[in-house]
Amino acid sequence: MEYTILILVLPFLSFLLLGLGGKSLRPRVAGIVGTSVPAVVAVLSYVTTFDYFGAGRGADGKFPALMPFDMTWLPLNETLHVGMGVLLDPISVMMLVVISTVSFMVHLYSLGYMKGEKGFQRYYAFLSLFTASMIGLVVATNIFQMYLFWELVGVSSYLLIGFYYTKPAAVAASKKAFVVTRFADLGFLAGILIYGYYTGTFSFTPPLHVLAAAGGMIPLALGLMFVGGAGKSALFPLHIWLPDAMEGPTPVSALIHAATMVVAGVYLVARMFPLFIGFAPEVLHWAGYAGAFTSLFAAVVACVQTDIKRVLAFSTISQIGFMIVALGVCTSGDPHAGGLGYVASMFHLFTHAMFKALLFLCAGAIIHAVHSNEMKDMGGLWRFMPVTHITFLIACLAIAGIPPFSGFFSKDEILAACFGFSPVMGTVMLFTAGLTAFYMFRLYYNVFLKPARTFGAVPQAMTPNAASDAATPHAASRGAFPREAPASMTVPLIFLAAVTCVAGFIPFGAFVSGNGEMYHIHPDMKVAVASVCVAVAAIAVAIVLYKGEKQTPADRLAARLKGLYRAAYGRFYVDEVYQFVTHRIIFNCISTPAAWFDRHVVDGFMNLLARITHAAGNRIKGLQSGAVQQYSVVFLSGALALIIILLLI
């Protein structure tokens, strides 16, 4: 399977070609190259999947871990080195399918969405780098290689979030994402260094006797690594960058939320799962508690947001929480005895990638049609956008956990694992699942079913560029009739909707499990019935509250819960707390005094040394006048003085 190295190399070569080619390449050529490469990568990923799983299990009943490409990139000492290669095992192969599928759909979709945009070539170059970085992260053969590509993912997201660099909001959002994740990644790097120092390797599977000898340093290292994962996966309180990341083009949001960017933390815990469960179970459980709080917090915030992309952003934060919770409630690697959460988490990662990519791409089609992100500017779009309407509805049913759509099967397994761990945890996550159904159908109803606002015809010349991610609709387009997106945008919607309909029937446990053994997924009927009933009730509540043009019941409820509504709409003021801590405390109380000390004490001392040196130089510069006669007099005078001193002695 040596060809698998091409899966990593091809997107990087595409980045170099498009990046170095720049404006010398026509947009059409850049689009063709940028879309063809992920198509080839997707085909190679599917071939890899069939070859890997088709080869069957080994004598131990597990799929083997293969390294078709491995090299020493950076030797550090006789035993410790950093390798670079391709690791194929069940979760990395599964992630190749996720990344390649979503990436290809986003590249194809962008042909229509970004048509006519300034910087079209640059956009596809950044997408290619993003794809290469995500693939390099999931096929990493060691934790240090994972960290290198982890940082490349951060760089790529920074470039894409700030793609509209003339918009101050986009620039601020890109910097915010970069800074927040860098602070978290500092913990990740510290954990890696501790891990490498005490184990003598960066391998994911060091010898057991080495791990036992490291003792309590392994939980510390894993806990610090999880801090990096929490930042990348936007867990509370490091979630603040993700909602603002919506300033980037909508297809970028689909790639960030559906592929590996925000699930990198989940993948990290899954990759290191044998170490977590064997040597740091308490750290794993605390990660689960953090995931549960994040999931509930984000779901509450999503219930009151009016920007459709921010609703989906908080939805992603909540769903990532579900995945972390599923891993955190594991008490063993055996899916039959406390390890169900691992299978459930990976299964939900797979299904969520498909329907969340579908939701964001549908949101892009909606913005493309009405030139606004706000729900108040939408309504009745089912008449004008039938394909987007049906595919969006399928995605909403999936994330709400309605059978037979894929989200039902994966979320049911998560809830079953949570109830197996603790009734309290199960109840919290079941309530959060109900909130998910509520806010998604609140969004669906406001966009497609509520009484339509008046749409009137507008001359084509007055219509703004449909590809632009406008925060508010152009004045001339407010009355324009919405139109269905072009085929380059609707084909990915149809494909992802089809996958969402059938992905739940994949025997996922037969391929991926915590201990590598086969597990047959079977819904827990009590949990399944309860979750479906809660979801249906939440959908009914959403329809009742938001039916009618004026939506009086929703307004009354918001007025009755005024304090909670305002707090949730303001994201519980977490951003304001960060602003207060950074500006009022860190900047004013620490940075300003430090700057004064640096400017007046450190700089003053160095300036004093410079003045003394300068003054001394002025005093003695006459000794180097260039006059030979003067040098002779000084030389002879000195020699005479030495002779006199020696004679006196």
Side-chain angles (χ1 to χ4, degrees), residues 226-284:
F226 177 72
V227 171
K232 196 74 78 181
S233 289
L235 296 184
F236 184 92
L238 300 173
H239 67 285
I240 58 172
W241 67 270
L242 190 56
D244 291 346
M246 299 301 97
E247 294 294 337
T250 302
V252 171
S253 301
L255 197 57
I256 289 175
H257 288 251
T260 308
M261 171 67 184
V262 294
V263 297
V266 180
Y267 182 79
L268 171 66
V269 177
R271 172 56 71 197
M272 309 292 287
F273 183 75
L275 300 182
F276 273 103
I277 202 68
F279 297 90
E282 296 84 3
V283 176
L284 190 63

Side-chain angles (χ1 to χ4, degrees), residues 6-87:
L6 295 175
I7 298 175
L8 175 58
V9 171
L10 287 176
F12 187 72
L13 293 178
S14 175
F15 160 69
L16 292 178
L17 175 62
L18 297 174
L20 296 176
K23 294 183 179 180
S24 62
L25 291 175
R26 295 173 57 191
R28 180 179 180 83
V29 174
I32 292 174
V33 172
T35 306
S36 299
V37 170
V40 174
V41 169
V43 171
L44 290 175
S45 298
Y46 299 152
V47 171
T48 300
T49 303
F50 283 111
D51 286 349
Y52 180 80
F53 289 119
R57 298 174 178 271
D60 58 355
K62 302 177 182 179
F63 289 107
L66 306 177
M67 290 188 186
F69 179 81
D70 189 30
M71 60 173 285
T72 298
W73 177 63
L74 182 64
L76 300 175
N77 55 40
E78 294 180 357
T79 59
L80 188 62
H81 69 277
V82 177
M84 195 69 66
V86 174
L87 170 64

Side-chain angles (χ1 to χ4, degrees), residues 65 464 473 483 601:
R483 297 179 181 179
V601 178

Side-chain angles (χ1 to χ4, degrees), residues 168-360:
V171 174
S174 63
K175 291 191 293 185
K176 186 176 184 179
F178 192 79
V179 170
V180 172
T181 53
R182 292 294 72 69
F183 274 104
D185 290 351
L186 178 61
F188 189 16
L189 179 60
I192 291 173
L193 296 177
I194 293 172
Y195 177 83
Y197 180 81
Y198 283 95
T199 63
T201 179
F202 292 122
S203 171
F204 296 121
T205 55
L208 292 178
H209 70 275
V210 173
L211 293 170
M217 302 309 295
I218 297 300
L220 173 62
L222 293 175
L224 289 170
M225 291 183 197
F226 177 72
V227 171
K232 196 74 78 181
S233 289
L235 296 184
F236 184 92
L238 300 173
H239 67 285
I240 58 172
W241 67 270
L242 190 56
D244 291 346
M246 299 301 97
E247 294 294 337
T250 302
V252 171
S253 301
L255 197 57
I256 289 175
H257 288 251
T260 308
M261 171 67 184
V262 294
V263 297
V266 180
Y267 182 79
L268 171 66
V269 177
R271 172 56 71 197
M272 309 292 287
F273 183 75
L275 300 182
F276 273 103
I277 202 68
F279 297 90
E282 296 84 3
V283 176
L284 190 63
H285 297 332
W286 278 107
Y289 299 140
F293 180 82
T294 299
S295 187
L296 179 59
F297 169 87
V300 171
V301 174
C303 288
V304 299
Q305 298 300 304
T306 58
D307 183 315
I308 62 173
K309 290 177 67 176
R310 280 179 168 74
V311 173
L312 297 180
F314 280 101
S315 170
T316 297
I317 296 172
S318 183
Q319 296 303 301
I320 295 296
F322 268 91
M323 300 174 204
I324 292 292
V325 167
L327 291 169
V329 298
C330 289
T331 54
S332 77
D334 185 355
H336 298 92
L340 173 60
Y342 183 93
V343 179
S345 178
M346 295 297 97
F347 194 17
H348 197 58
L349 189 157
F350 180 83
T351 60
H352 174 266
M354 302 305 165
F355 61 68
K356 184 51 64 73
L358 176 56
L359 285 168
F360 268 107

Side-chain angles (χ1 to χ4, degrees), residues 444-506:
Y444 166 74
Y445 191 89
N446 277 283
V447 172
F448 291 101
L449 297 186
K450 78 175 181 181
R453 64 187 182 89
T454 302
F455 293 104
V458 172
Q460 187 65 29
M462 296 175 64
T463 304
N465 183 1
S468 178
D469 264 1
T472 56
H474 190 282
S477 68
R478 289 183 180 274
F481 283 110
R483 297 179 181 179
E484 187 62 89
S488 62
M489 295 170 63
T490 55
V491 168
L493 302 185
I494 295 170
F495 176 84
L496 291 171
V499 174
T500 299
C501 290
V502 302
F505 298 99
I506 296 174

Side-chain angles (χ1 to χ4, degrees), residues 306 308 374-384 389 441-455 542-543 545-551:
T306 58
I308 62 173
E374 292 292 328
M375 286 189 278
K376 64 181 176 59
D377 297 314
M378 303 168 190
L381 293 182
W382 68 272
R383 298 176 182 271
F384 305 99
H389 167 235
F441 275 85
R442 168 182 175 265
L443 175 61
Y444 166 74
Y445 191 89
N446 277 283
V447 172
F448 291 101
L449 297 186
K450 78 175 181 181
R453 64 187 182 89
T454 302
F455 293 104
I543 294 175
L545 287 178
Y546 293 96
K547 70 179 181 180
E549 186 174 359
K550 294 185 178 181
Q551 300 181 345

